[in-house]
Structure formats: C-alpha cells, structure tokens
Amino acid sequence: MTTALHPSPSSGQLAPGALLNLRVARSGLQLSVSSGRLWVTLQGAPDDHFITAGQTLTLPRGAQLLMECDSAVPAAWVLAVPSLPAPAAPRVPDNRGHEHARIAPPQPLFPHRPQLR
C-alpha cells in the first residue's frame, strides 16, 4: 500500500489499493470521481464515504481526508469549485391567442387649421 501526503492537488489518479492523504485549503470544493471508486475518510467525521464515477462530495475548508482506491480499476478524481448553473434565458412573452393591438388612423396635428394638399 502506498501513502502520499500532498498540500492540495486539483486532480489525480489512484491505482487500486493506493492511498492519498490530502488537506483541503479552500471552502466549497467538491471531490468528483470520473472513474473507479474512492473510499474517503474525513478526519473527525463519524462516517466514511464511498464515491463512484459520476458522484461528488462537498468538502469543508481545512478538511483532512484520506482517499483509497476501492475498485479494480484506477480511480480518477478532481477537486474543484462546483460550476454555477447557466443563467436562465430571458423569457419572451407569448402573445399567441391574444388580440393584436389596433392602431388608430393618423389624425391631423392641428385639426382647427385647414389641411394643405
């Protein structure tokens, strides 16, 4: 079994059975797994976490965690700030089924004066 201590890399890959000890410096980071499965232990937390491909785990600032590849294939992981959802497109009112506005015929600017032709 191999154990490595790193300050806070942003991504990596663990071979089956390999261990990695990390300290998370920022708050709001998420640990995402894209292949394999990780067994994650957070220092001071009562439960361990098993994260498989496609899953994420939000980590608190200053968290000390121990990750082990718990699958037959290497586990690829990324520590990143979660992406924000794309802003919603502005809504355009739907006027179907509504009566169209009626435009009045043009009126003379000065009705009391005779119109010149």
Side-chain angles (χ1 to χ4, degrees):
M1 229 185 273
T2 307
T3 303
L5 178 63
H6 295 282
S8 197
S10 59
S11 65
Q13 191 170 17
L14 285 176
L19 295 170
L20 180 63
N21 191 354
L22 287 176
R23 179 172 298 279
V24 178
R26 290 183 60 175
S27 61
L29 289 179
Q30 284 188 340
L31 174 64
S32 301
V33 176
S34 59
S35 67
R37 183 169 100 155
L38 287 177
W39 179 1
V40 180
T41 302
L42 293 170
Q43 184 178 11
D47 299 319
D48 290 349
H49 303 274
F50 290 91
I51 307 169
T52 59
Q55 294 181 327
T56 61
L57 175 66
T58 301
L59 303 169
R61 181 183 182 150
Q64 180 74 35
L65 60 127
L66 180 63
M67 300 189 304
E68 179 180 357
C69 178
D70 186 51
S71 59
V73 297
W77 57 273
V78 174
L79 268 180
V81 176
S83 58
L84 297 174
R91 295 193 66 194
V92 176
D94 181 8
N95 292 327
R96 288 179 285 175
H98 297 282
E99 188 175 324
H100 292 281
R102 293 191 179 144
I103 300 173
Q107 300 295 321
L109 292 175
F110 304 102
H112 59 280
R113 292 187 185 170
Q115 291 291 325
L116 299 176
R117 294 186 197 216

